Amino acid sequence: MTNLVVGLTGGIGSGKTTVANIFAELGIELVDADIVAREVVAIGSPGLTTIAQHFGDDILNSDSTLNRAKLREHIFSKPEELEWLNALLHPIIRTEMLKQLDNTRSPYSILIAPLLFENGLDRLVDRTLLVDISPEQQRNRTKIRDSVTAEQVQKIIDSQASREDKLSKADDVIDNHGERSALRNKVVALHNNYLKLSNNT
């Protein structure tokens, strides 16, 4: 594993993907929790096999991929089924993330996790970086990007830790209310700081 692991998080529409891409342009390797979560239920994976055994084969599409809509139906309003699914997948996801971080070779690496604090993934990293914008901007950006209603966006915002909670827990914060050029300068400044920290560990 590279010396230093930074956990990158931010609410929906905050711009964390843009921030992650700038770090990647600077030569830093990324591990994305959302991508890992998809990989551990890919065709032929032990995770998907166990899910199909538990819920039945109707949980699969005709091409043997996971039918996420059907899975949501099964766990919606059934807390015990959601708990079962989380108990199965969270350890598998965590193990795979650590394996991928272990294989990174850049001076430091970044774990992208929208629910970094909510899922306790901040315990796996050395520093946490929050991309912060106001809830109003979250709603506006997400409505435009995903063509969803303000109510739908608000439900997602409400399901995540509050802005105040995340701000209180983050080691570093990028204020993303401005232009992309300003954002890049902020990322470069953090990048230089993380390089120094990685040399000291």
Side-chain angles (χ1 to χ4, degrees):
M1 190 188 291
T2 49
N3 290 333
L4 182 79
V5 180
V6 177
L8 172 63
T9 194
I12 186 168
S14 62
K16 63 185 168 295
T17 302
T18 304
V19 168
N21 289 340
I22 297 171
F23 277 112
E25 287 166 15
L26 294 168
I28 300 307
E29 292 181 68
L30 313 173
V31 174
D32 190 323
D34 282 349
I35 293 173
V36 172
R38 288 195 292 275
E39 289 172 349
V40 301
V41 291
I43 294 175
S45 65
L48 184 59
T49 302
T50 307
I51 289 169
Q53 285 168 349
H54 182 81
F55 291 111
D57 285 342
D58 72 324
I59 206 81
L60 303 176
N61 293 310
S62 57
D63 62 357
S64 298
T65 56
L66 178 64
N67 185 322
R68 292 176 185 279
K70 282 249 176 76
L71 181 62
R72 277 193 294 272
E73 281 172 29
H74 277 288
I75 61 177
F76 186 70
S77 75
K78 289 184 190 164
E80 69 281 2
E81 294 289 28
L82 178 58
E83 279 175 30
W84 178 88
L85 188 67
N86 286 339
L88 169 73
L89 292 181
H90 283 182
I92 302 174
I93 292 168
R94 193 168 293 223
T95 299
E96 180 59 26
M97 285 191 305
L98 288 171
K99 187 173 106 182
Q100 291 188 17
L101 286 167
D102 209 36
N103 288 329
T104 59
R105 293 292 171 261
S106 51
Y108 65 92
S109 54
I110 288 182
L111 173 65
I112 309 163
L115 300 176
L116 184 77
F117 298 120
E118 293 90 336
N119 287 344
L121 298 176
D122 52 320
R123 291 193 293 270
L124 303 181
V125 303
D126 302 298
R127 282 192 80 77
T128 54
L129 170 57
L130 172 68
V131 184
D132 178 57
I133 60 168
S134 68
E136 183 185 16
Q137 277 201 299
Q138 278 186 282
R139 285 190 289 271
N140 292 341
R141 289 182 183 181
T142 308
K143 274 194 301 182
I144 293 164
R145 185 190 69 187
D146 298 345
S147 302
V148 291
T149 65
E151 291 76 19
Q152 287 172 304
V153 180
Q154 192 59 49
K155 274 188 185 170
I156 296 167
I157 292 172
D158 292 342
S159 73
Q160 298 178 340
S162 71
R163 182 186 184 190
E164 293 72 25
D165 189 38
K166 287 187 277 204
L167 282 167
S168 71
K169 289 178 176 175
D171 295 310
D172 303 304
V173 178
I174 286 182
D175 181 325
N176 192 19
H177 291 90
E179 297 301 315
R180 186 185 158 99
S181 56
L183 180 64
R184 184 176 181 84
N185 291 338
K186 291 173 185 175
V187 174
V188 169
L190 278 168
H191 169 68
N192 290 331
N193 186 43
Y194 294 151
L195 287 175
K196 282 182 202 157
L197 289 171
S198 66
N199 287 331
N200 292 332
T201 50

